[in-house]
Structures are given as C-alpha cells and as structure tokens.
C-alpha cells in the first residue's frame, strides 16, 4: 500500500462500473453480515484509495466519502508497519495474491487486527492496483478455514471471479462469472475454459503462462465476438497465481470486468480526437502554397490513407481556363491530382493530366449543377467514365471498390470541380462521421484551390503588365557599360521593383531604380506610372532632387497608403561626375578598378508618398573602370537577419570589379541574395569605360 500523488477525480470501479468517487461505494457484504463481515477496498497504482465498501466503514469507522482519494498508507497503516505494508504491496504488484494479518487504523485512532487477502487488479488506467479483502481477526478466529472467506467473496463480488486448479480446470466460480458465461455455476466445476466458452483459447493460454511463470497478467483485453456487433462484449481479465502455504503455485485466481461501454466510449473518443487532429493538420498542410497543382496534391495527401484508399481531384476546365477559352472547355474536367493505394487500380486509366467530358445526365453532371455531395454506387460510377478501356475500369470497380463519395469543390458560390474518394472492400464503408469530415476537408480545399486559381490569374496579369511597362533592355549610352536584372520573390510573387536608364543631352545618362511597396497588379501598375513619370522628367533635364519631389507628389496623389523608394542619378562622362539623390532607398555601392568598395554615405531621405521631400544631393566622381551598383532592399535584407550582414556580403562580391558585367550581376544574385527571399529584387550596374 505505497503512497503516490493522486491524479484524476475518477477511478475504475473494481466491480465493473465507474462511479463518482465522492458519492459511491461498494455495498455491504450481504450474507457475511452475521458470519464474517468483510471489508473491501481498492488501492490504485499510485497508492490512493479508489473504492471503500460500506462493510469497511462498519469495521473501521471511515466513510467512503472520507476515504476515496486518500493515501492508503497514511490513513490505514500504523507507522511501525509501513515497511511491511510496502513489501506486501510489491509482492502483490509482482503478480502474487497474498494473505496476511495486519493492524489497521480505526477512525478513532485505535488499531484493529485484521486478516487480509490482497491481490492485484487493474485500476482505471489499466495499471496494477491492489484489491484488499479484510476481516477482523477476532471474527476470523471463529472461521479458521480460509476457504470460507474466499467463498464469501465469490458469493458477493459483482466482478466475475474464478479459482482454477493446476490443471486449469474450474474449482470455483461466482454468480457474476456464471452470468458472464451464460453457464450455471455448477456446470463450470471440473471443466476447462474452452469447454465452457468455445473460442476462448487465448484466455487459457494466458492462464497457463501465469501458472508457469508465477507472474500476474493484469487487464488482458478479450472480446467475445458475434456476428452482431451490438452484442459483442469486451472484458478486462486479470490473472494471478494462487499461492499455497509454502509459496508454491497451486492454481490461478481470475477476475473479469465488463468494460464494453467504456471501451466503446474510448474508441469513439479516440476517433473524435483523430478527426480533430486531422482537421488541425489539414489547416497546416492545405493552402501552404498558391500553386494550383500543389494545392490539389495537398488535398490528396490529407485524405489518403487515413480517410480513404483513393482520392481523385478533378477541376473544370472552364473554371480554370482564361475567359476566352472557357466556352470551348465547357463540360470538360481535368485530373490535377490523384492517389490510389490499391495496387490493382488501373493507373493508366487514372493518370494525372487526363481530361474527361462529363456525360450528359450523369451523376457527375447533377453534382456540378446542384453543388451537393453524394454517395456513389457502382451503377453511378460507370457512366462517369467513357474511355476505350472503360470495361477494364468497370471490372476493377466492381471487384475492389466497396464505397465511394463524390464531393463538389465549391468556393464563393462557384463549382470548380469535384473530388472522388473511395474505399476498397477490405475496409469498412464510409459512415456518417467519415462523410462529414471528408466534406469539411473538401470544402476547405475548395477555398484553397480557388485562392490559388485567383492568385495565378492575378500573378499572370501582373507579370504581363510588368513586362509591358518595364522594358528589361537597357540603351547603349556614352561612357557607361550597363546591365540589370529583375527577380520576383518567387514563382508566385510579382512586385513593383524596377530599373531604367535614359540617354540625356550632352552624352549624359540618367540611372533610376525604385521599389513600390506591395505586390501584384496594383504594385506593377504604380511602378509603370512612376517609370513613365521619371522618363518624362529626366528628358526635361529635371535635377535629381526636384525629380524626386515631383515623384513624391505623384505617389501622394495615388492614395494615402501608397509608398515607394527611389534612387535617381545622372552621370556626365565628360567630367566623370555623378549626381545622386535618394528617397528612402538603400545606399549605392562604388567599387573602383582596384576593388576598393564603399557604400555612399548620406541621408536616404523619406520614401516617396510621405511628403516633406527634402532630398540630399550627393556628387561623386566615378574614375575610369569604376563600378556603380544600385539595388532594391530585397538583395540584402530578409526577415530575421542582420542588414549589416547583407551589406557585407554585397561588398565582398564586388572585390573583383573588372570581370564581365553580366558575370558580376549574376554573382550578386547568386551569392548575396538571401536563400529564402521575402521580396523581389532589382539590380542596376553601371561601369565607367576606360579612356
């Protein structure tokens, strides 16, 4: 009876029920009331009292409400007997049932000598606890035969109890076990378990193991199978060796508890937890990208294999195609992602990329029209697929598919396609909870697919607009060699970064690089307006500081939330002078012919669009062979990294400015940019020609 911290407010009743520990207890010992009152209590694996009988209250004065949840050692065992009690507890938990005489503390503080039978039993969490049956020693003296006490226990216990001899034949069973088996008590005696309950050979094997090894087996789960699942019962079976007076193993003590309802509740709770976990996992797995195909593949990975044996995502061509081709694609679906775990599935007929014409009047057409999911049967699946090899596919469906469901992909009132899920005949059909979960996951997937679809369209439009507004080719100008690059942040991000060069009068050249905050069509459109404004102002020979003030006003006119950075420079090859002004833009880098690198000092000024534009104009001399590097912040900056680190990488990449200009530019993008870019990048390089 060791003590341990008490966890939880409920414990499994040793007699087959799960009562509230504060209000329930085992009843009186019945016929023992006059002959030999037996106190029963149960101690869980942590040493806490989980059960306290009314007979125990009569003998020891403690009420069930006072005792349940208390540390058994502290309340019942006197100080001088703690070591003995611990030793006995270890013996019981090792698998043996023991008999002992121990003093137990009464509620009034006195000690009561008690004869005790102590055996292992499974507690509420399936661990080995202790079942104690105790009688006052003075009463036991009138009933020397220990079998009388055992007989009383067998008579009263609501747990199925049995005692078997060394040949594993029943010596005694109680009425509770008789009710469990459906066989009278008398018909058990002398028979083996398999003779009473055919098919229970596993239980007999466990008992033989207990007898041979002398080790208890606690909470062995056994299910009595029937063709009717509603009548199937699950039992928690515990077995301990029965020890004789000299410690020899003379048989087996068995106890059985019906845990069917608890097991069903546990399984249902586990399934509910699994569904919630899958929904949470789907929230992280689906929609992680704005790529349409990858989004569809994420849907398949969530559904298979935990919910289905196959998942097939098909999208309507007219929903995916540009407007000008939608009419010709009416009624056509394309398979964009699919997984079939059954190796017998005809993969050539279910390949990703295949297009199918929806048969008129089919279930598929009804689903697309109504936008409501439905279960499919073989007669429904057949007309969905019309191919030269349809017979082979129908044969597979007839032989292997046990259940199927077709769910429309509906987002913002538009049907984008459908997802078909199936289970083979080896697996139980979809139940109501399965279909609810699948429908919920597909509904979420539809929004993700629609987001990817709209984003792809917007990106394509933004990229087309950007390419039309920003001519990547640079002019041939006097005294300078030019090159530039633009890289979006990723395959799905187009922003407002740009660069340009404008030939001016007198052989001078205007260099400009800018960054419009934001991404998408709007940022590309603002970039186009600023690029046009810069070219117009540059050709009017507007000084750099005045040009930026004009751009500031233009950005402010576009709206309160518009903002951009810009660097504008004018190079005169006759004097080597370069006049530079910045509006919130990163500093340019100058590398001379010897590889000396310096960032241009001076205030950057506020970004365009915030007003109060008072730009500082800087004048530098670019010696022959010098390299002027301008860039947007995406080249050197990313979230969570040190900006100075990016600037150091940039300076190191310019140590050899004499290389071909295109090589230098490509090297910057390969070695200076962060591995995971958060922003798009524009780079403009100008190198003065040697005289």
């Amino acid at each position: 009876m060791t003590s341990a911290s008490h966890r939880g407010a409920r414990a499994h009743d040793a007699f087959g029920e799960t009562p509230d520990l504060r209000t329930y207890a085992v009843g009186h010992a019945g016929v023992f009331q006059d002959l030999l009152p037996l106190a029963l209590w149960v101690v869980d694996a942590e040493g806490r009292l989980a059960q306290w009988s009314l007979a125990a209250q009569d003998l020891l004065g403690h009420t069930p409400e006072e005792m349940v949840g208390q540390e058994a050692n502290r309340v019942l065992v006197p100080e001088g007997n703690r070591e003995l009690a611990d030793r006995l507890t270890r013996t019981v938990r090792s698998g043996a049932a023991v008999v002992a005489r121990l003093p137990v503390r009464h509620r009034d503080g006195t000690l009561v000598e008690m004869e005790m039978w102590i055996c292992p039993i499974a507690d509420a969490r399936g661990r080995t606890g202790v079942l104690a049956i105790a009688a006052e020693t003075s009463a036991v003296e009138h009933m020397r035969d220990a079998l009388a006490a055992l007989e009383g226990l067998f008579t009263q216990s609501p747990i199925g109890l049995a005692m078997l001899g060394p040949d594993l034949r029943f010596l005694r069973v109680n009425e509770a076990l008789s009710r469990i088996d459906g066989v009278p008590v008398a018909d058990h005696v002398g028979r083996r378990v398999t003779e009473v309950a055919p098919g229970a050979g596993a239980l007999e094997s466990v008992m033989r193991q207990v007898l041979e090894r002398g080790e208890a087996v606690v909470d062995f789960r056994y299910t009595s199978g029937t063709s009717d699942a509603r009548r199937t019962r699950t039992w928690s079976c515990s077995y301990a060796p029965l020890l004789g007076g000299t410690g020899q193993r003379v048989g087996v003590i068995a106890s059985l508890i019906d845990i069917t309802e608890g097991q069903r509740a546990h399984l249902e709770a586990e399934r509910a937890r699994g569904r919630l976990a899958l929904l949470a996992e789907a929230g992280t797995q689906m929609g992680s990208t704005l790529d349409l195909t990858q989004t569809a593949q994420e849907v398949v990975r969530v559904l298979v294999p935990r919910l289905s044996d196959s998942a097939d995502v098909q999208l309507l061509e007219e929903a995916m195609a540009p407007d000008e081709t939608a009419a010709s694609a009416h009624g056509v679906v394309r398979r964009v992602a699919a997984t079939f775990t059954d190796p017998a599935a005809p993969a050539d007929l279910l390949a990703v990329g295949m297009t199918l014409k929806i048969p008129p009047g089919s279930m598929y057409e009804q689903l697309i029209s109504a936008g409501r999911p439905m279960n499919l049967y073989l007669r429904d699946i057949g007309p969905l697929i019309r191919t030269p090899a349809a017979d082979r596919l129908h044969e597979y469906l007839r032989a292997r598919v046990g259940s199927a469901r077709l769910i429309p992909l509906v987002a913002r009132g538009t049907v984008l396609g459908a997802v078909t899920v199936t289970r083979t005949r080896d697996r139980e059909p979809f139940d109501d909870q399965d279909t609810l979960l699948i429908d919920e996951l597909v509904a979420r997937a539809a929004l993700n697919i629609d987001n990817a679809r709209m984003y792809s369209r917007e990106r394509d439009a933004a990229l087309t607009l950007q390419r039309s507004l920003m001519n990547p080719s640079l002019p041939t100008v006097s005294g300078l060699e030019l090159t530039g690059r633009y890289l979006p942040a990723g395959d799905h991000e187009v922003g407002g970064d740009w660069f340009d060069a404008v030939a001016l009068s007198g052989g001078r050249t205007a260099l400009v690089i800018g960054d419009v905050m934001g991404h998408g069509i709007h940022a590309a459109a603002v970039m186009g307006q600023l690029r046009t404004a810069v070219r117009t102002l540059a050709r009017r020979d507007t000084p750099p500081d005045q040009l930026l003030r004009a751009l500031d006003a233009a950005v402010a006119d576009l709206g309160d939330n518009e903002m951009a950075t810009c660097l504008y420079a004018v190079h005169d090859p006759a004097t080597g002078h370069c006049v530079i002004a910045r509006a919130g833009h990163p500093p340019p880098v100058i590398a001379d012919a010897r590889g000396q690198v310096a960032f241009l000092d001076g205030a950057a000024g506020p970004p365009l669009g915030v007003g109060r534009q008072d730009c500082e104009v800087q004048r530098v001399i670019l010696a022959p062979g010098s390299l002027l590097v301008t860039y947007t912040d995406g080249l050197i900056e990313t979230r969570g990294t040190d900006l100075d680190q990016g600037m150091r990488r940039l300076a190191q990449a310019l140590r050899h400015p004499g290389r071909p200009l295109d090589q230098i530019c490509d090297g910057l993008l390969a070695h200076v940019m962060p591995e995971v870019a958060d922003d798009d990048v524009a780079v403009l390089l100008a190198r003065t020609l040697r005289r």
Side-chain angles (χ1 to χ4, degrees):
M1 292 181 286
T2 59
S3 62
S5 60
H6 182 57
R7 296 182 177 89
R10 298 177 66 85
H12 193 283
D13 180 32
F15 307 102
E17 301 175 357
T18 308
D20 187 318
L21 296 182
R22 302 189 180 280
T23 58
Y24 286 76
V26 180
H28 283 274
V31 297
F32 282 120
Q33 190 65 30
D34 297 324
L35 299 176
L36 185 65
L38 289 178
L40 281 77
W41 62 82
V42 175
V43 180
D44 64 21
E46 295 177 335
R48 299 274 183 174
L49 284 160
Q51 293 286 323
W52 185 259
S53 72
L54 297 179
Q57 175 181 337
D58 293 341
L59 289 175
L60 296 172
H62 304 281
T63 66
E65 292 79 8
E66 294 171 339
M67 295 299 286
V68 171
Q70 295 290 324
E71 294 181 10
N73 269 5
R74 182 180 60 82
V75 178
L76 299 176
V77 181
E79 283 289 333
N81 286 61
R82 297 285 173 83
E83 183 178 350
L84 173 62
D86 289 341
R87 188 165 64 252
L88 291 175
T89 298
R90 287 193 297 270
T91 301
V92 172
R93 287 187 177 150
S94 70
V98 299
V99 177
R101 174 178 293 185
L102 294 171
V104 179
R105 184 179 288 114
H106 193 276
R107 189 172 186 272
D108 61 10
T110 60
L111 297 180
V112 180
E113 286 287 335
M114 304 196 80
E115 304 290 323
M116 302 180 66
W117 181 55
I118 310 169
C119 64
I121 192 170
D123 68 7
R125 295 168 61 181
R127 303 166 303 176
T128 303
V130 174
L131 169 65
I133 302 100
E136 193 172 357
T137 300
S138 59
V140 176
E141 289 175 350
H142 300 288
M143 302 181 68
R144 296 289 183 182
D145 189 355
L147 291 178
L150 186 60
E151 182 179 2
L153 172 64
F154 272 67
T155 304
Q156 293 301 313
S157 177
I159 299 175
L161 295 175
M163 183 169 65
L164 300 95
D167 57 356
L168 296 183
R169 295 182 180 274
F170 286 108
L171 299 175
R172 175 155 306 197
V173 300
N174 66 349
E175 289 291 343
L177 186 62
S178 172
R179 290 191 295 271
I180 290 172
D181 292 340
V183 177
V185 170
D187 291 346
H188 280 77
V189 178
R191 301 172 68 185
R192 306 181 75 92
V193 172
T194 51
E195 294 173 344
V196 174
L203 299 183
E204 190 167 285
S205 297
V206 173
M207 287 188 287
R208 183 173 294 107
Q209 172 186 320
V210 169
L211 189 61
E212 292 173 353
R213 299 181 181 178
E215 299 174 354
V217 172
V218 178
D219 194 27
F220 177 80
R221 301 295 174 91
Y222 173 72
T223 299
S224 58
T226 66
S227 58
D228 186 354
R230 293 171 297 181
R231 299 179 60 188
T232 299
R233 311 299 297 177
T234 302
W235 311 93
S236 171
C237 307
S238 297
Y239 302 99
L242 181 63
L243 304 180
T246 59
Q248 76 276 22
R249 297 188 289 273
V250 297
V252 174
I253 291 291
S255 66
L256 282 76
I257 303 173
D258 187 349
I259 60 170
T260 303
E261 297 306 321
Q263 186 78 351
R264 288 174 181 169
H266 173 73
L267 291 175
E268 188 56 39
E270 285 296 316
R271 288 174 181 169
R273 279 193 290 270
R275 295 185 188 107
L276 289 174
L278 185 57
L279 282 173
E281 183 179 334
T284 59
Q285 288 192 5
M286 295 194 308
S288 62
T289 176
L290 288 171
D291 180 270
L292 189 62
T293 301
Q294 189 171 339
T295 301
Q297 291 170 344
E298 290 171 346
V299 177
V300 168
R301 283 195 294 269
V302 169
L303 293 171
V304 179
R306 281 182 287 184
L307 285 175
S308 63
D309 295 317
S310 78
D312 183 359
V313 181
Q314 299 179 359
L315 299 179
L316 287 165
E317 289 281 81
E318 60 186 305
M320 301 297 112
D323 294 340
E324 59 270 16
T325 61
S328 62
H330 179 71
V332 176
V333 293
R334 180 181 299 273
R335 181 177 290 111
V336 293
T339 293
F340 298 86
T341 60
D342 186 2
D348 57 321
L349 303 181
L350 302 167
V352 172
M354 289 183 61
T355 57
L356 303 170
K357 182 72 174 178
I358 300 175
S362 66
M363 295 287 288
Y364 206 133
E365 185 179 61
Q366 296 175 34
L367 175 122
I368 296 299
S369 300
R372 291 190 297 272
M374 58 183 68
N375 290 323
L376 295 178
Y377 304 94
L378 186 60
R379 64 178 183 273
D380 304 320
I381 298 174
L384 292 180
I385 305 166
R386 291 180 178 175
T387 67
D391 290 342
R392 182 158 57 95
L393 184 57
H394 295 165
E395 181 180 348
Y396 164 75
L397 296 173
R398 186 180 303 107
R400 295 293 299 155
V401 174
S403 60
R405 187 167 178 81
L406 187 62
I407 312 100
L409 287 160
V410 183
R412 300 174 178 92
T414 301
V415 178
L416 306 177
V419 176
T420 305
V421 293
T422 67
R423 283 184 179 175
T424 64
R425 295 183 183 276
D426 302 331
R427 191 170 177 178
E428 62 183 9
F430 297 117
D431 60 23
D432 292 342
Q433 294 299 318
D434 293 330
T435 57
L436 284 174
L437 181 56
I438 291 171
D439 293 353
E440 171 65 20
L441 291 172
V442 172
R444 294 187 183 189
L447 289 174
N448 293 328
I449 289 174
D450 195 43
N451 289 337
R453 176 181 72 102
M454 293 190 299
Y455 185 80
S456 296
R457 287 188 175 183
E458 180 178 337
R459 179 186 179 277
D460 292 342
L463 190 58
T464 301
L465 177 61
Q466 186 186 57
R467 287 171 177 169
S468 67
L469 295 175
M470 186 182 76
N471 185 358
S473 62
L474 293 170
T476 301
V477 296
S478 177
L480 290 177
E481 180 185 0
L482 301 175
T483 191
R485 298 286 190 278
Y486 168 77
L487 285 181
D491 294 337
H492 307 288
E493 289 287 349
V494 177
D497 290 20
W498 93 96
F499 61 85
D500 201 359
V502 183
L504 304 178
S505 61
R508 295 171 302 143
T509 302
L511 304 173
V512 61
I513 188 167
D515 181 0
V516 176
M517 305 304 176
H519 296 88
I521 293 177
H522 182 75
V526 173
M527 177 272 292
Q529 295 180 64
L530 295 184
R531 180 176 182 272
T532 301
V534 169
R535 294 180 71 86
T536 300
L537 293 169
R539 289 193 172 103
R540 293 178 180 175
D541 274 338
T542 306
D545 54 341
Q546 294 181 26
L547 183 143
L548 292 182
R549 278 194 288 271
L551 286 184
D552 178 64
V555 173
D557 289 342
L558 294 175
D560 294 338
N561 296 323
E562 298 298 343
M563 193 178 299
T565 68
C566 185
L567 180 149
Y568 182 76
V570 176
H571 175 254
D572 187 346
T575 63
H577 285 82
C578 187
V579 182
I580 302 173
R582 290 186 289 149
H585 205 81
V589 186
I590 298 175
D592 63 20
R594 295 174 299 174
Q596 296 295 319
V597 178
F599 287 86
L600 191 64
D601 294 331
L608 301 175
V610 301
R612 304 181 306 279
Q613 196 62 247
D614 187 13
C615 300
E616 177 181 335
V617 177
Q618 297 176 280
R619 290 175 173 83
V620 297
I621 295 178
L622 297 180
S626 295
L627 182 63
L628 176 67
V629 178
T630 60
Y631 53 92
T632 55
D633 58 3
L635 180 68
I636 61 172
E637 188 176 0
T638 187
R639 297 187 191 95
T641 61
D642 186 0
L643 179 61
D644 292 339
Q645 183 179 355
M647 297 178 73
R648 284 194 297 270
R649 287 199 305 267
L650 175 57
Q652 291 170 359
L654 298 174
R655 294 298 185 187
H656 304 284
R659 293 178 298 159
L661 210 56
D662 284 339
Q663 289 185 14
I664 295 175
C665 193
D666 292 340
L668 293 180
L669 297 177
H671 304 297
V672 179
M673 278 184 63
E675 293 184 5
V676 179
D678 295 326
D679 199 0
D680 45 354
V681 175
V683 178
L684 175 61
L685 277 63
R687 183 162 56 194
T688 56
L689 299 177
R690 298 178 184 272
R691 295 190 179 91

